[in-house]
Amino acid sequence: VIPVKDVEDVLRLEYRSKFLNPKWRDAMMKQGSGGAYEISQRMTAMVGWAATAEVDNFVFDQAAERYALDEEIAAQLQKSNPEAFKNVVRRLLEAEGRGMWS
């Protein structure tokens, strides 16, 4: 028998271990444009999951704090890949506008 895990639990683990983890973020930032693109893609995926599953507010709160509101990181993202940074901000606005994040 294969144990079935709740999607919300899997998502929490994924976001805590990678996307919200400062060590992962810093490793991505060192990769320049490609790392910024990966951050952007994770943000898009998070909003996609939030459309079909429960994504806790703390995930959006911490994503905003770590990528959009941290002045140093935001500046690095803008420099490395301006479109990736714009996508991060757009996805946060989308999540708030669609009621996924309050």
Side-chain angles (χ1 to χ4, degrees):
V1 176
I2 299 172
V4 177
K5 294 184 179 182
D6 185 59
V7 70
E8 285 86 3
D9 293 338
V10 173
L11 290 173
R12 274 187 214 95
L13 178 62
E14 170 68 16
Y15 291 122
R16 283 184 176 146
S17 64
K18 291 186 181 167
F19 191 60
L20 300 178
N21 184 330
K23 289 181 182 180
W24 183 86
R25 178 200 62 194
D26 294 347
M28 290 298 103
M29 296 304 295
K30 288 179 185 174
Q31 293 182 23
S33 180
Y37 176 78
E38 180 64 24
I39 289 167
S40 171
Q41 291 302 103
R42 299 267 176 157
M43 181 67 77
T44 297
M46 183 173 74
V47 171
W49 277 111
T52 60
E54 183 73 27
V55 174
D56 296 325
N57 265 333
F58 86 87
V59 175
F60 285 106
D61 291 343
Q62 290 186 10
E65 289 171 13
R66 283 176 171 68
Y67 297 105
L69 301 176
D70 180 310
E71 291 182 20
E72 182 179 331
I73 295 299
Q76 272 186 278
L77 282 170
Q78 288 173 344
K79 183 178 179 186
S80 296
N81 188 329
E83 290 305 313
F85 178 73
K86 289 177 192 174
N87 184 63
V88 167
V89 173
R90 276 193 301 263
R91 296 301 178 193
L92 288 167
L93 293 171
E94 177 185 354
E96 194 277 330
R98 292 176 64 187
M100 299 171 180
W101 175 36
S102 55

